[in-house]
């Protein structure tokens, strides 16, 4: 498994819309979640020299805070290599989809702090960010 995290910094107007009636384009958080799952599965098509591996599960959590949306993705496999790139791709594309959904309301929204938080298994063993 590998867990990637990131955030989309956005305006208070976007936060209010996400917590209330929603953004004009529709279910922004739902679209971002599906985009992240699709991206994790397509990582070898997007990242050169990334091994195609069997993904056994992808969980994408989006949490609305006062000034940002936190994105966390956990990707699982039983394959021969780790899924850090799949987790990072998932978080990044979920952030891109969210920005696409809110850009009419907040053209200054930005993706930040995308990183691997932890991983288990693989040739290099377990790792946890301090």
């Amino acid at each position: 498994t590998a867990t990637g995290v990131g955030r989309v910094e956005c305006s208070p107007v976007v936060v209010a819309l996400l917590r209330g009636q929603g953004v004009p384009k529709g279910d922004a958080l739902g679209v971002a979640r599906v985009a992240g799952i699709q991206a994790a599965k397509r990582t070898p098509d997007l990242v050169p020299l990334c091994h195609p591996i069997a993904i056994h599960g992808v969980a994408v959590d989006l949490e609305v805070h006062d000034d940002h949306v936190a994105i966390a993705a956990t990707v699982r496999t039983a394959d021969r290599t780790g899924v850090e790139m799949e987790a990072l791709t998932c978080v990044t594309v979920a952030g891109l989809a969210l920005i696409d959904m809110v850009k009419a309301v907040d053209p200054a929204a930005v993706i930040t702090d995308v990183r691997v938080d932890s991983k288990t298994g693989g040739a290099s063993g377990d790792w946890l960010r301090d």
Side-chain angles (χ1 to χ4, degrees):
T1 63
T3 300
V5 297
R7 56 193 273 163
V8 172
E9 295 176 358
C10 52
S11 70
V13 173
V14 169
V15 169
L17 288 170
L18 291 173
R19 288 179 173 164
Q21 67 187 20
V23 298
K25 282 183 89 169
D27 180 6
L29 300 177
V31 168
R33 185 173 294 108
V34 170
I37 292 167
Q38 287 179 318
K41 294 178 176 223
R42 302 291 303 231
T43 299
D45 296 332
L46 301 169
V47 180
L49 305 180
C50 190
H51 297 291
I53 57 175
I55 302 292
H56 292 156
V58 180
V60 184
D61 296 310
L62 295 105
E63 186 176 317
V64 180
H65 293 266
D66 290 339
D67 62 348
H68 70 279
V69 177
I71 304 169
T74 301
V75 180
R76 293 181 294 111
T77 188
D79 216 326
R80 64 194 180 281
T81 187
V83 284
E84 298 92 341
M85 293 309 301
E86 287 75 6
L88 291 173
T89 302
C90 179
V91 168
T92 303
V93 172
L96 288 170
L98 184 58
I99 286 178
D100 182 52
M101 296 294 289
V102 306
K103 68 185 177 196
V105 178
D106 183 7
V110 63
I111 302 170
T112 66
D113 301 327
V114 176
R115 65 188 185 275
V116 174
D117 250 11
S118 64
K119 74 172 237 31
T120 60
S124 60
D126 298 351
W127 182 83
L128 179 65
R129 184 174 297 281
D130 292 332

